[in-house]
Amino acid sequence: MRLNKYLEKHRFCDRQIKTPVVSETNIIGVIPCYNEPELLKILQSLFDCEKTSCTVEVIVVINSGEHDDENVLKQNQKTFQDATAWIKQHKNEQLFFHLIQIKNLPNKHAGVGLARKIGMDEAVARFEDISRPDGIIVCLDADCTVDKNYLTEIEKYFEQQPKTTGCSIYFEHPIDGNEFSKANYEGIVNYELFLRFYKRALHFCNFPYAFHTIGSSMAVRNKIYQKQGGMNRRKAGEDFYFLHKIFPLGNFTELNSTRVIPSPRASDRVPFGTGSAIQKMMASDSKIYFTYNIQTFVDLKIFLARVSEFYSSSAHHPINSSLPPSIQKFVAENNFEKKLIELKQHSASEKMFVKRFFNWFDGFMVLKFVHFARDHFYDPIEILDATKFLMQLHNKKFSENISKKEMLLQFRKWENPFLH
């Protein structure tokens, strides 16, 4: 492999896979795997996918930290052995599976972010071997499955969208069945409804980076991954932080012609995210699930509508009584006027100013405002009420007696009419 500046500077460990790369490889999927008894489900799901024109690789990073107990180590070893045996029995000339077993990761960084990074950096190295800067790095989780057209739709999408830097891939959790308890399915309905509510609320505000940030359903081009410094080592939320480095480049899109099906199971592996949220809901006696007050997003919409005006205004104090009190107080506490002067000084045009503004007022800052408004201005409201208010703001019709599950199905159809 030729010298690569990104890998020299950012990779955590040396090359792990010795098998040569097939020159036609254009998609590499990365799956972090920790204490996972059901890895074979996603491997089988990928194996059952429709045949692609290009060659596809799947890299599984079976990882453990230096302080993990014996049960985790035993499960990881069993997973490695079972997956090794499975791979030997499942041969496909255009789909290759690789296992990386990483032990004793430093406790400070051991977790899903580092495991995902190790796999994605390995994908970079393999694409570099065959000089493929536009190669597609796809992220999955060890407890999800995919539709049969998953790989072919990714291949087709990136061919048809040559300017796409990366994409969010449509997902749907299972919301009924016999595999999990009734409480588990009720919990995942609440959580997925919240995810879709938050994304649609950001759309309502005309926020330019209103995308899902789900680690099991995202893809990015090799050169873009490198350009933005690669994956981080966060123990949770690594997907949110990673994608918000990609969004400002522009041309980030959504792939809605296939599905990732994440698991709805409860988990204590990370402090927040799907598994953690479900565990907390199942441990609670309350059936009520609260989320952000819709007025928060009404205020945010008013503020974001003024962005161009901030550039053209000659006033030293552009934040005045015409803006909602929540916005006035938030920007005052975040040195907005000083930042505005700096942004205008470094912007030769309104278009450049708007771009720089949203590089600053990005997804992190939006979430910071949402939490500020929750803590100081607007009490949380029940998720079903929140979604009803949002539907009304978009003039969407719904039954007044609609259930959360029915509302989720409506949000899915609203977000992705392609599959509904």
Side-chain angles (χ1 to χ4, degrees):
M1 184 188 76
R2 56 199 174 98
L3 181 66
N4 178 277
K5 292 182 179 179
Y6 165 79
L7 291 174
E8 290 297 314
K9 182 177 180 180
H10 294 288
R11 66 181 173 187
F12 173 79
C13 56
D14 294 334
R15 294 284 294 268
Q16 299 294 307
I17 301 170
K18 306 303 181 186
T19 309
V21 190
V22 176
S23 60
E24 291 80 15
T25 301
N26 197 40
I27 299 174
I28 299 181
V30 175
I31 304 174
C33 178
Y34 171 84
N35 195 23
E36 178 54 64
E38 298 185 340
L39 173 66
L40 298 189
K41 281 187 178 181
I42 180 58
L43 300 188
Q44 187 67 52
S45 183
L46 290 167
F47 188 80
D48 290 339
C49 279
E50 296 165 358
K51 190 176 181 180
T52 53
S53 298
C54 70
T55 299
V56 177
E57 290 193 349
V58 177
I59 299 173
V60 181
V61 183
I62 302 174
N63 65 101
S64 59
E66 58 187 348
H67 294 160
D68 281 326
D69 63 35
E70 193 63 29
N71 290 331
V72 172
L73 301 181
K74 285 181 178 179
Q75 178 59 65
N76 276 5
Q77 187 59 32
K78 184 177 187 305
T79 298
F80 179 79
Q81 293 170 347
D82 291 347
T84 298
W86 183 92
I87 291 170
K88 288 180 179 179
Q89 296 170 4
H90 294 76
K91 299 297 183 182
N92 183 321
E93 60 185 16
Q94 286 180 282
L95 178 60
F96 297 93
F97 295 89
H98 303 289
L99 301 178
I100 295 176
Q101 196 170 28
I102 299 282
K103 302 178 181 180
N104 296 314
L105 291 173
N107 190 57
K108 181 180 179 181
H109 298 296
V112 64
L114 180 53
R116 212 181 287 283
K117 174 180 174 55
I118 290 169
M120 296 177 83
D121 287 356
E122 191 74 16
V124 168
R126 295 183 71 74
F127 277 137
E128 289 298 298
D129 285 347
I130 55 174
S131 300
R132 197 172 293 276
D134 283 327
I136 307 157
I137 303 175
V138 181
C139 285
L140 286 161
D141 282 345
D143 60 351
C144 65
T145 56
V146 297
D147 281 348
K148 289 187 182 296
N149 68 342
Y150 174 77
L151 294 175
T152 51
E153 287 302 307
I154 290 174
E155 179 183 37
K156 182 171 68 175
Y157 187 79
F158 277 87
E159 286 178 355
Q160 295 176 347
Q161 307 282 341
K163 293 184 179 180
T164 292
T165 54
C167 67
S168 170
I169 302 171
Y170 183 70
F171 68 92
E172 289 183 354
H173 294 91
I175 55 176
D176 50 35
N178 300 316
E179 186 176 357
F180 300 93
S181 68
K182 180 181 178 182
N184 203 147
Y185 288 118
E186 289 174 349
I188 202 62
V189 167
N190 280 326
Y191 188 68
E192 187 179 320
L193 192 53
F194 159 71
L195 293 177
R196 299 198 186 281
F197 162 75
Y198 187 71
K199 177 177 180 268
R200 293 307 313 186
L202 294 184
H203 270 291
F204 166 75
C205 300
N206 294 314
F207 181 62
Y209 306 146
F211 297 101
H212 288 298
T213 54
I214 310 294
S216 61
S217 54
M218 61 186 188
V220 65
R221 292 193 190 275
N222 170 29
K223 64 183 179 184
I224 299 301
Y225 174 82
Q226 295 183 57
K227 181 177 182 179
Q228 296 304 84
M231 178 55 68
N232 55 77
R233 303 179 184 184
R234 291 180 176 272
K235 293 175 180 288
E238 82 294 341
D239 40 14
F240 180 84
Y241 283 85
F242 172 72
L243 286 176
H244 276 284
K245 291 194 301 181
I246 305 298
F247 296 156
L249 295 177
N251 295 314
F252 191 88
T253 54
E254 295 177 328
L255 198 172
N256 289 323
S257 55
T258 189
R259 288 185 311 166
V260 175
I261 306 167
S263 172
R265 70 185 183 185
S267 173
D268 60 359
R269 301 179 191 198
V270 293
F272 52 88
T274 306
S276 175
I278 299 304
Q279 185 177 57
K280 290 174 183 175
M281 278 185 269
M282 291 178 67
S284 172
D285 293 331
S286 174
K287 298 290 184 181
I288 301 175
Y289 186 83
F290 288 99
T291 190
Y292 309 120
N293 195 302
I294 195 67
Q295 189 61 43
T296 300
F297 301 99
V298 174
D299 290 2
L300 185 60
K301 183 181 180 71
I302 294 170
F303 176 59
L304 296 184
R306 297 274 298 275
V307 173
S308 294
E309 181 183 329
F310 295 148
Y311 177 74
S312 58
S313 173
S314 59
H316 293 295
H317 304 285
I319 302 302
N320 53 47
S321 58
S322 66
L323 286 171
S326 66
I327 294 291
Q328 293 183 50
K329 188 171 177 60
F330 178 75
V331 297
E333 293 189 8
N334 285 274
N335 299 313
F336 177 71
E337 291 181 5
K338 180 180 178 181
K339 188 66 181 180
L340 195 59
I341 293 171
E342 177 189 324
L343 291 172
K344 291 172 74 170
Q345 287 176 340
H346 293 88
S347 301
S349 66
E350 181 181 309
K351 182 178 180 180
M352 180 58 69
F353 171 80
V354 172
K355 179 179 175 62
R356 288 183 179 276
F357 178 89
F358 284 111
N359 283 351
W360 171 67
F361 203 88
D362 59 4
F364 307 106
M365 192 64 80
V366 166
L367 192 59
K368 187 176 179 180
F369 166 70
V370 168
H371 287 173
F372 177 86
R374 176 198 63 191
D375 296 340
H376 298 282
F377 286 88
Y378 306 120
D379 290 335
I381 58 177
E382 211 282 326
I383 184 64
L384 187 56
D385 291 334
T387 54
K388 286 180 178 180
F389 286 134
L390 187 60
M391 294 280 273
Q392 289 170 346
L393 289 172
H394 283 88
N395 297 314
K396 297 281 186 179
K397 295 181 179 179
F398 58 90
S399 167
E400 196 56 42
N401 297 319
I402 193 170
S403 68
K404 291 180 184 178
K405 183 176 178 180
E406 290 168 335
M407 183 63 88
L408 175 57
L409 294 176
Q410 283 203 221
F411 263 69
R412 286 177 174 180
K413 185 176 182 179
W414 183 14
E415 186 170 328
N416 187 3
F418 190 100
L419 289 183
H420 296 279

